[in-house]
Amino acid sequence: MCAREAANAGLRVALLERGPLPGRKLAVSGGGKANFTNREVSAGHYRCDGAAGSDFCAPALKAFTPEHMLRLVRAWRLPVEERDHGQMFLTTSAQRLVGALKDDCLKAGCRLVCNANVTEARLLPDGFAAQTPQGLWQGTAMVLAMGSPAWPQAGGSGSGYKLAAAFGHGIVPPSPVLAPLRLASGCSLLDLAGISLPVRVSLGARQWEDDLLFTHEGLSGPAALKASLFWKHGMPLTLDFLPQEDLAAMLDAPQAGKQTPRAMLARHLPQRLVDAILPPETARRKAAELSRAARQSIVDAVRHYTLTPTGVAGLQKAEACAGGVNTDEIDPHDMRSRLCANLFIVGELLDVTGLLGGYNLHWAWASGIAAARSMARSMVKSMAKSTAESTDQSLDRPLPQ
């Protein structure tokens, strides 16, 4: 996206792609349908550990909104559908989105070079040099858009951190996020592998409602993956298995008196889950026989089930990676390095990670475009300065005879 915008603005652009093909991770994103943005995108949907927090993202997101991306996708004549929670997907292969970006780059004159692994990048007196197997490339500006080490089977690599560090940038240690949460061995929930249901997840002041999947190792599905973005070691997680029901009123209802909590809840939840979470001393007693405290314990078990994960699955299973280049060293308006003139760092290489649901791809688009537009503005200023200097010099020359 950055190369496309820069080339369309008139810059000469070389896009050095480490892999044999561009956009491999994009091509398999969203189950191959590219969850390319979300209907609602704001800074609050992101995690950023810099001094500004997620507010760092605000300028770029304001300048390139979901509607801007939707217009672009429609211009490419790619069919779109909106799914739950505002997620915007293609109804065709994500490979067509990769192809549209690639075609636009080539039409604008961008030179795309694959298998061009940049092994070294350094400053020159008038710009930058990038060493690749194809030789040395030089330019007046450089953009690092190299992603993170998450999802290595789709091309993820931490090589961008090394290049950023070579220019003096600090790296927030990377960690897997948008990944399953692991539970301690012996946890009763581990016996529920294969069960999936909608829940409300609470983590500190944050809450999400989405589908949860129990696995042999712990918790997965969108609800768990979202929680993993903000979860830190030792933090408790609270699950509400009936977020849309008033369980207390259900237990107090006159017609519930002869029913057991176990039978009552089995009409709303999988029986195996009910048996795993209900207090055994009250599960099979009639509701009318239960004290107020006993009923409350049932409500707490179902609506406020609290547990503490032991960790997050590794980078092989992570859709994204927290950490990256310290955002305190980056101008949030144009992704320009504060340490090195005309160096730009964008996308997931920065310490910015979004929730599941199209937010990380949208950050890639928005940050890439912010960098490209800044480079284009710099080019215009440079040309204007050059023209002015040329005019000044011509006034000093003697008139021709």
Side-chain angles (χ1 to χ4, degrees):
M1 186 67 86
C2 182
R4 174 189 181 275
E5 187 81 3
N8 276 322
L11 277 67
R12 293 177 59 199
V13 179
L15 179 52
L16 306 180
E17 164 60 53
R18 186 174 67 92
L21 295 169
R24 283 184 296 162
K25 190 180 283 189
L26 175 58
V28 296
S29 67
K33 298 291 186 180
N35 180 194
F36 60 90
T37 190
N38 196 287
R39 181 66 71 180
E40 300 292 335
V41 176
S42 68
H45 292 109
Y46 294 85
R47 169 183 168 178
C48 177
D49 293 334
S54 62
D55 286 344
F56 170 85
C57 309
L61 297 177
K62 184 178 180 180
F64 189 76
T65 66
E67 187 55 39
H68 288 127
M69 187 59 193
L70 282 167
R71 283 184 217 150
L72 192 52
V73 170
R74 291 183 185 119
W76 285 325
R77 298 183 179 179
L78 299 178
V80 172
E81 69 174 355
E82 182 173 346
R83 299 186 189 175
D84 292 343
H85 309 293
Q87 300 172 95
M88 305 304 299
F89 281 81
L90 299 182
T91 58
T92 185
S93 169
Q95 187 61 58
R96 288 186 59 189
L97 179 55
V98 176
L101 283 163
K102 177 184 173 182
D103 289 347
D104 274 10
C105 283
L106 297 178
K107 287 176 186 175
C110 172
R111 185 170 181 180
L112 172 61
V113 186
C114 293
N115 293 311
N117 183 33
V118 177
T119 56
E120 181 188 5
R122 62 180 185 272
L123 279 170
L124 298 175
D126 57 350
F128 297 86
Q131 184 67 54
T132 72
Q134 289 85 353
L136 192 68
W137 296 79
Q138 297 183 37
T140 55
M142 177 177 284
V143 182
L144 301 181
M146 304 173 72
S148 80
W151 214 358
Q153 58 270 38
S157 163
S159 57
Y161 298 153
K162 180 180 177 181
L163 298 184
F167 290 112
H169 280 281
I171 307 298
V172 178
S175 60
V177 293
L178 302 189
L181 295 168
R182 290 176 172 154
L183 300 179
S185 60
C187 177
S188 61
L189 298 186
L190 294 177
D191 297 328
L192 305 178
I195 291 178
S196 177
L197 74 164
V199 301
R200 178 182 293 132
V201 179
S202 300
L203 184 68
R206 299 178 184 274
Q207 286 188 347
W208 303 272
E209 284 193 32
D210 217 321
D211 291 339
L212 181 74
L213 171 67
F214 293 97
T215 73
H216 292 293
E217 294 184 338
L219 306 176
S220 189
L225 267 59
K226 289 178 180 179
S228 75
L229 177 58
F230 299 101
W231 181 83
K232 295 183 180 179
H233 189 72
M235 291 180 68
L237 197 70
T238 300
L239 302 176
D240 181 350
F241 295 110
L242 285 178
Q244 304 302 325
E245 301 288 343
D246 187 342
L247 181 54
M250 195 186 303
L251 289 168
D252 289 343
Q255 62 271 27
K258 295 182 179 182
Q259 302 178 55
T260 66
R262 181 177 184 268
M264 189 185 311
L265 285 167
R267 293 197 292 270
H268 301 273
L269 297 170
Q271 186 71 70
R272 283 197 294 150
L273 173 61
V274 172
D275 291 339
I277 64 176
L278 280 190
E281 65 274 12
T282 57
R284 297 175 184 269
R285 294 177 60 188
K286 293 180 180 180
E289 300 173 356
L290 299 177
S291 66
R292 178 62 57 188
R295 294 185 189 188
Q296 186 59 48
S297 69
I298 292 171
V299 172
D300 290 341
V302 176
R303 302 291 309 274
H304 309 285
Y305 189 95
T306 302
L307 72 166
T308 302
T310 59
V312 178
L315 291 172
Q316 291 280 349
K317 295 184 178 181
E319 294 196 17
C321 183
V325 175
N326 190 337
T327 54
D328 294 343
E329 302 163 355
I330 304 295
D331 188 318
H333 295 87
D334 58 11
M335 306 298 118
R336 186 187 295 268
S337 167
R338 299 185 190 275
L339 308 181
C340 184
N342 294 323
L343 175 68
F344 299 81
I345 304 178
V346 301
E348 201 183 347
L349 186 55
L350 291 167
D351 176 27
V352 174
T353 315
L355 281 167
L356 193 73
Y359 299 103
N360 286 298
L361 279 181
H362 192 87
W363 173 248
W365 316 137
S367 60
I369 280 184
R373 289 174 177 171
S374 178
M375 286 187 289
R377 288 193 296 269
S378 296
M379 179 189 70
V380 170
K381 291 178 182 178
S382 178
M383 290 176 62
K385 181 179 179 182
S386 177
T387 301
E389 290 175 348
S390 176
T391 302
D392 290 344
Q393 291 171 5
S394 69
L395 292 175
D396 293 335
R397 294 172 187 162
L399 294 172
Q401 298 297 318

